[in-house]
């Protein structure tokens, strides 16, 4: 019988330069969550990660919650837990949609990571304006992304699967700056 | 690039993250089915479009995704202030001289060029 395997649209792609590395993130499960303030506690207890009402991400083990708006989060689990199933038993009013395969993660790291992202992202990505642990939905070139600064010189880009070739190629082009 | 202050994010962010969404403070009639066509036209199509200060809806679509209102000067393109959707029109700070072509807070009809006064009999 033929084997069926899910292939990442960025499988095999990698950019390694002296000052910056661009690589696809390992597979993960993802949940798009919207919930009013009154439901947040119950959801956070079920997901075992705080849904923080601010700009900073919250990380517990392989799971992190990224605040995107006043009542909206993206939860990512790098060990592939079934996040939608966890929320199924929560009675409090909320919306939770499994978007694991809608997004692809791209990891950008190195001393030139900030400059490479700024080739397509108009935000101020200096450490003062976009510190470690900060997450935001923003723009990369022509596509929408969710950007997280995981370390001073490391970012995670979450982009829709069908835009991932564009996003990765744009970052790859940006690394060709002779300075990098 | 313009920086626009999102009142939800409380940050000045690049204009590429935002989208304009028409004139603000237009109340949808509650009796939409029964109003005369002329009133519907006014509600649906007619906008003030002044030269100078305008109240607009904007959306931080590639950010927090929330709608908000902005007070903008259409002459200088300067954002005077922004506030959350649903809040009352703000009392505007005095708008200073925003450049040679600024006509902030001048009623549109006062900005229009007057028709030349009728000449005598022209003969
Ligand atoms: Zn915002």
């Amino acid at each position: 019988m033929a084997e069926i395997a899910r292939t990442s649209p960025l499988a095999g792609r990698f950019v390694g330069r002296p000052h910056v590395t661009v690589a696809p993130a390992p597979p993960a499960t993802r949940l798009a969550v919207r919930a009013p303030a009154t439901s947040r506690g119950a959801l956070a207890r079920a997901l075992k990660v705080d849904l923080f009402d601010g700009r900073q991400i919250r990380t517990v083990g392989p799971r992190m919650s990224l605040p995107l708006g006043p009542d909206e989060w993206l939860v990512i689990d790098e060990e592939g837990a079934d996040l939608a199933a966890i929320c199924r038993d929560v009675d409090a009013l909320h919306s939770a949609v499994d978007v694991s395969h809608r997004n692809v993660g791209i990891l950008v790291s190195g001393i030139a990571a900030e400059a490479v992202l700024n080739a397509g992202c108009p935000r101020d990505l200096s450490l003062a304006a976009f510190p470690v642990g900060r997450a935001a939905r923003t723009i990369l070139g022509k596509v929408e992304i969710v950007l997280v600064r995981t370390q001073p010189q490391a970012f995670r880009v979450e982009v829709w699967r069908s835009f991932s070739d564009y996003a990765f190629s744009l970052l790859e082009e940006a690394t060709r700056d002779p300075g990098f | 690039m313009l920086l626009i202050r999102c009142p939800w994010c409380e940050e000045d962010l690049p204009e590429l993250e935002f989208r304009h969404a028409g004139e603000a403070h237009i109340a949808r009639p509650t009796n939409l089915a029964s109003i005369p066509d002329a009133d519907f036209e006014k509600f649906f199509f007619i906008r003030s479009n002044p030269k100078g200060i305008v109240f607009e809806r904007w959306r931080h679509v590639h950010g927090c995704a929330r709608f908000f209102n902005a007070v903008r000067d259409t002459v200088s393109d300067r954002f005077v202030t922004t506030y959350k959707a649903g809040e009352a029109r703000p009392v505007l700070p005095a708008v200073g001289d925003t450049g040679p072509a600024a006509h902030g807070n001048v009623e549109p009809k006062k900005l229009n060029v007057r028709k030349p006064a009728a000449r005598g009999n022209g003969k």
Side-chain angles (χ1 to χ4, degrees):
Chain A
M1 243 176 91
E3 260 189 50
I4 297 170
R6 190 180 291 275
T7 316
S8 163
L10 300 177
R13 296 186 69 172
F14 179 82
V15 182
R17 292 190 186 270
H19 301 309
V20 65
T21 302
V22 184
T29 47
R30 300 166 176 90
L31 193 69
V33 180
R34 294 200 65 178
T38 46
S39 304
R40 251 175 27 216
L43 269 173
R45 273 194 297 283
L47 287 167
K48 297 191 169 59
V49 62
D50 187 20
L51 301 178
F52 181 54
D53 181 20
R55 298 167 181 174
Q56 297 290 110
I57 64 167
R58 287 290 185 261
T59 308
V60 176
R63 198 171 293 173
M64 60 179 169
S65 72
L66 290 50
L68 302 182
D71 62 359
E72 185 181 1
W73 293 265
L74 177 66
V75 182
I76 301 175
D77 190 295
E78 291 182 315
E79 285 182 358
D82 188 347
L83 298 168
I86 293 171
C87 292
R88 215 162 282 149
D89 296 328
V90 177
D91 289 331
L93 176 70
H94 72 280
S95 148
V97 181
D98 189 322
V99 293
S100 303
H101 304 300
R102 183 193 72 178
N103 282 19
V104 173
I106 300 174
L107 306 174
V108 185
S109 56
I111 55 170
E114 195 179 302
V116 164
L117 282 161
N118 267 148
C121 178
R123 278 214 183 212
D124 181 354
L125 296 181
S126 64
L127 268 169
F130 205 89
V132 175
R134 176 80 207 270
R137 184 159 40 203
T138 180
I139 289 280
L140 182 75
K142 292 189 285 185
V143 298
E144 186 177 286
I145 57 163
V146 171
L147 185 64
V148 196
R149 187 178 217 132
T150 49
Q151 286 168 42
Q153 293 174 355
F155 295 84
R156 182 189 181 101
V157 175
E158 282 281 317
V159 62
W160 286 19
R161 183 185 170 93
S162 54
F163 298 154
S164 61
D165 175 49
Y166 170 84
F168 197 94
S169 302
L170 186 107
L171 294 168
E172 190 170 10
E173 288 290 325
T175 66
R176 292 198 181 147
D177 188 299
F180 305 156
Chain B
M1 187 180 300
L2 286 175
L3 292 177
I4 301 174
R5 185 167 190 83
C6 173
W8 297 96
C9 297
E10 297 178 335
E11 264 187 296
D12 297 316
L13 295 164
E15 62 173 307
L16 292 181
E17 292 187 1
F18 296 83
R19 193 159 302 162
H20 178 259
E23 189 171 350
H25 300 293
I26 291 173
R28 185 184 173 85
T30 50
N31 54 342
L32 207 52
S34 60
I35 59 172
D37 285 354
D39 289 356
F40 181 80
E41 184 206 11
K42 266 184 218 158
F43 153 68
F44 204 72
F45 295 111
I46 307 300
R47 296 294 178 261
S48 59
N49 195 29
K51 181 178 183 181
I53 297 295
V54 289
F55 291 78
E56 295 172 324
R57 295 168 78 231
W58 281 75
R59 188 179 181 204
H60 191 191
V61 59
H62 301 301
C64 67
R66 289 297 175 119
F67 281 90
F68 62 93
N69 293 336
V71 184
R72 191 171 62 92
D73 189 325
T74 58
V75 177
S76 63
D77 223 10
R78 194 168 69 91
F79 279 77
V80 179
T81 186
T82 56
Y83 52 103
K84 290 176 183 175
E87 291 180 359
R89 277 172 200 253
V91 177
L92 287 182
V95 178
D97 188 0
T98 54
H103 294 282
N105 285 335
V106 180
E107 286 175 52
K109 62 184 177 191
K110 290 184 183 166
L111 288 173
N112 293 340
V113 178
R114 285 205 202 99
K115 281 184 195 156
R119 302 252 171 90
N121 57 16
K123 284 175 187 168

